Amino acid sequence: MWPTSSHPRAFHERRQRLVARFPGPVLLPAGSSRPRNFPANRYAFRAESHFLYFVGRGVEDAALLVTDGTATLFAPEPDPEAAVWTGPTPSLEQLSEQLGLEVRPLAELSPPPNTATLPPQDLPSAFWLAELLGRDLEAGDGANLEGVDAGLADAIVDVRLRHDAAAIAQLEQAAVVTVAAHRAGMARTRPGLREAAVRAAMEAEIIAQGMTTSYGSIVTVHGEVLHNERHDGLLGPGDLVLADVGAETPEGWAGDVTRTWPVSGRFLSEQRELYELVLAAQRAAIDAVRPGVRYLDVHRTAGRVLVSGLTELGILRGEVEELLQRGAGALFFPHGIGHLLGLDVHDMEDLGDRAGYAPGRERSDRPGDRYLRLDRDLEPGMVVTIEPGFYRIERILERAEEVGELEDALRRDVLGKYASVRGIRIEDDVLVTDGAARVLTDALPKTADEIEALVGA
Ligand code: GLY
Ligand code: MN
Ligand code: MN
């Protein structure tokens, strides 16, 4: 178990950094827990990330007001009746002491006019916030914020982009547990089990360490379905399992790791060839992570290694630079090399591309680039994922509009020999430092030999 949360000083300093960039009044809601099938049966409460960042703890139905340089948390008074069902909750005085922050009853909240805010992700929380602010709120699309809210969003992006020491400590904890989960998944794998059994072993490790998953676990023999969340497939002896699973710390910080391993504990030779190619692309991309480097170029580095390797294997035919120009990489690696990681697994994606794309940069609509979630110049303190893959996706390979003029570059006869590979992805969480990148999840082995030794062991 992970005993502690960050010191209240860390949150005080974050609030100071926000005030320095955005002096106007700010209201950040924690949000509410969401009902499942009837009001009393609810999903576990998970506060809005912008709230967690500045407060450090999810306090349901509370809101943080920052005005004139002073932060006050407005929270509901504990309900003595609710204590019968859910146990005691701290008084507002106790909460104030624990958080190092003034706490007032929610009923006293009266936000000044022109208070800036950011839209919560669910409609009931959005309506609740609108009521507090006495204004109509457009739900949802954080990318289209205007006026004071846009100013606040830009300020928060600026504060949250580079992680402070407390955040890095949290990401390290998430990484440790995420690594343990992957080891447990590899150890549990055997032919004849369902994917769900491997998922259960991985999530059991996360739960036993007092954490939750940071997104819906992907544990599948159909790795070519990029965000496959089914777990009912059988593990066949010749299959590869692709597991994309991450832990979230009690303070809300995410791990996001993918490994791909053979169900039998032995890669078939053609599986190993493609696995080693994806690994080479991942290593090259991690080596490219340096301050001042444009993330798009990290993406391109991985694409170049993949396309070059695919020509060596004979799956692609042609000259590498020309194939890259023609977008051939996207036939097998259609997604981006990664994204920001922090409190959100795709950090601050509630704000659309505002966080991932530097001002003046926009998402390209080219195949292979259009799913790239980040294109900033890297700076120390940023944490990004590096997650290249190789996928045989029928929808891409069978459709003329996807393959188009690349048909001549694609050797379908050679590709046919790699039928035992559906999807391979290798993903790690990487901290940008002043020098070489630090891989937060590097305790998890990834060479083919190391992986084989862990499966079913
Ligand atoms: N787990 C989702 C992703 O890797 O982006
Ligand atoms: Mn992932
Ligand atoms: Mn990821």
Side-chain angles (χ1 to χ4, degrees), residues 215 218 227 243-246 255-258 339 345-346 385 387 425 427 429:
Y215 52 91
I218 300 167
H227 277 178
D244 183 347
V245 175
D256 182 12
V257 165
T258 308
H339 49 84
V345 63
H346 295 172
T385 66
E387 49 180 304
R425 179 162 66 253
E427 175 176 26
D429 303 341

Side-chain angles (χ1 to χ4, degrees), residues 26-46:
V26 172
L27 189 70
L28 295 175
S32 313
S33 67
R34 294 156 207 197
R36 290 172 53 162
N37 37 358
F38 55 91
N41 186 8
R42 308 182 83 77
Y43 290 105
F45 173 62
R46 203 283 186 178

